[in-house]
């Protein structure tokens, strides 16, 4: 109760299974007394491209555009574009970040990757020697919740679903110092029965009831590749 | 000689190190007699978002928008948007796909992920039971060429750079049936001497001279996680 949650949501269709998972999270967390904010990326027409437009005013080096350097400098002088600042404010205030999306190509959809690329700039989310356990998003929890196209067996066939969590969980959230909760994966909701879909929705709702008691995962390579 | 190469390039600045790597590839491959096409994604203002706009005309199911189903159906009836069709034509004609980009968050920049999400639709790049060795991009080679922000040691510190290649190489290119050549990684070009940068550019040029004789990597989990 009193906790703040930001859900970054990347699906085009409110009636989708991802839309239902979002709705359940908003309802359950609100019921617990949490304050829930949703960044509905498609509805916001969120810009995924990292360009010069992300910097308001003059460039640090207009001769040779370097996105990392420019956004870092712009962050320090308060010169990032308003859409980035708005997202950073939401992140700053949140105790928990939930990313809700359908898996596209073993990864998050481009619109969500663009949110990572543009919002989590140097100075805000990490800094020189402030990464991993020293990252600037310390004291925040994060959770990747996604649906897949293929069945669980398909991912097990040539590897493990955890392999694809490494760049997201370790490379982004752990790098920024956020603690990572177990991912929440709904396998192939489009290919199971209505009954099983309902069970999946109930399972998400149930998990959320005790989410704040969960221990973060051990963020070592062994968790992913043991 | 006579081979066709598509370079999908994702950097904002022609004067960047990525820009130099692109230039070298175009020059060297052209010199070999290859026909080289470049998709310069930022210059094209390439759209990374997967939306209803990617389908021309009526939807298969306008009650509930499902991007995977709609683009599959649209592909079959020739109803994808013209920018997607143009990229698919380039892919179709290519013997080799090179992806040139700076690593953003252990992954490709959103604009390039959007290219994967939107161009490699079902029916075109893979199909029901046509995946991995049976994928529809068989007989094509692919190569991920990228720069990193951190040094090689940094990636080795908490894992292996190969871990982050799994979703890209295995999850996308291998899934589509394309053969995967060894990645080409330039570590931290922004943080090394001018001399070392030149050596890196020369190494890329040298590698390209004998690229067509290279054996693709063994696309098993062992290659990534041994």
């Amino acid at each position: 109760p009193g906790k703040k949650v930001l859900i970054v949501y990347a699906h085009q269709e409110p009636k989708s299974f991802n839309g239902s998972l979002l709705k359940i999270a908003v309802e359950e967390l609100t019921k617990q007394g949490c304050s829930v904010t949703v960044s509905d990326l498609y509805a916001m027409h969120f810009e995924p491209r990292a360009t010069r437009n992300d910097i308001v005013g003059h460039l640090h080096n207009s001769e040779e555009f370097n996105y990392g350097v420019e956004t870092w400098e712009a962050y320090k002088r308060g010169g990032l574009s308003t859409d980035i600042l708005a997202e950073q404010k939401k992140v700053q205030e949140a105790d928990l970040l939930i990313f809700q999306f359908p898996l596209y190509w073993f990864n998050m959809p481009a619109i969500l990757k663009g949110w990572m690329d543009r919002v989590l700039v140097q100075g805000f989310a990490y800094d020189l020697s402030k990464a991993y356990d020293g990252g600037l998003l310390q004291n925040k929890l994060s959770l990747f919740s996604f649906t897949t196209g293929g069945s669980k067996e398909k991912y097990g066939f040539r590897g493990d679903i955890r392999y694809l969590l490494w760049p997201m969980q370790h490379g982004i959230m752990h790098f920024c110092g956020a603690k990572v909760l177990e991912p929440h994966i709904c396998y192939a909701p489009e290919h199971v029965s209505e009954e099983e879909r309902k069970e999946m929705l109930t399972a998400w709702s149930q998990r959320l009831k005790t989410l704040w008691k969960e221990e973060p995962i051990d963020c070592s390579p062994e968790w992913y590749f043991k």
Side-chain angles (χ1 to χ4, degrees), chain A residues 3-206:
Chain A
K3 295 280 193 187
K4 288 186 175 174
V5 182
L6 171 61
I7 307 180
V8 187
Y9 168 71
H11 201 288
Q12 306 89 347
E13 173 60 62
K15 293 181 203 159
S16 65
F17 194 76
N18 272 273
S20 299
L21 291 165
L22 170 69
K23 194 158 166 273
I24 282 171
V26 172
E27 285 173 358
E28 173 56 33
L29 293 166
T30 304
K31 205 161 69 181
Q32 292 176 17
C34 299
S35 155
V36 183
T37 303
V38 177
S39 285
D40 183 342
L41 300 183
Y42 287 103
M44 293 157 74
H45 302 289
F46 189 81
E47 172 61 71
R49 289 164 286 211
T51 71
R52 194 258 174 266
N53 298 336
D54 293 349
I55 297 100
V56 176
H58 75 275
L59 292 177
H60 181 71
N61 178 1
S62 59
E63 288 300 302
E64 191 182 321
F65 183 74
N66 181 314
Y67 188 78
V69 170
E70 292 297 340
T71 51
W72 186 19
E73 293 294 335
Y75 175 75
K76 288 187 280 188
R77 64 174 173 82
L80 288 168
S81 63
T82 51
D83 63 334
I84 296 179
L85 292 177
E87 294 305 304
Q88 290 182 339
K89 187 156 180 286
K90 296 177 196 170
V91 172
Q92 192 103 61
E93 292 175 351
D95 299 296
L96 166 64
L97 309 172
I98 296 178
F99 301 99
Q100 180 65 56
F101 58 97
L103 198 68
Y104 279 12
W105 290 115
F106 277 49
N107 217 315
M108 60 191 92
I111 199 168
L112 179 53
K113 180 56 167 52
W115 186 94
M116 305 287 177
D117 292 351
R118 297 178 63 235
V119 175
L120 304 177
V121 307
Q122 183 164 359
F124 172 72
Y126 66 98
D127 216 331
L128 298 173
S129 78
K130 287 180 180 163
Y132 294 112
D133 298 336
L136 298 172
L137 303 188
Q138 280 174 61
N139 306 319
K140 295 186 193 302
L141 297 169
S142 65
L143 192 167
F144 289 86
S145 172
F146 57 92
T147 58
T148 70
S151 64
K152 189 168 185 173
E153 292 68 38
K154 278 218 172 129
Y155 289 91
F157 176 50
R158 288 179 195 249
D160 190 296
I161 192 87
R162 288 187 176 196
Y163 294 171
L164 59 82
L165 296 169
W166 175 258
M168 303 183 210
Q169 295 190 165
H170 172 83
I172 307 178
M173 284 296 130
H174 183 205
F175 185 89
C176 294
K179 292 184 178 60
V180 179
L181 298 176
E182 283 277 350
H184 199 84
I185 311 174
C186 292
Y187 288 98
E190 292 178 32
H191 303 291
V192 301
S193 66
E194 188 57 34
E195 187 63 26
E196 286 172 284
R197 267 195 294 279
K198 275 188 192 153
E199 282 169 19
M200 286 193 220
L201 294 175
T202 306
W204 178 224
S205 173
Q206 287 299 323

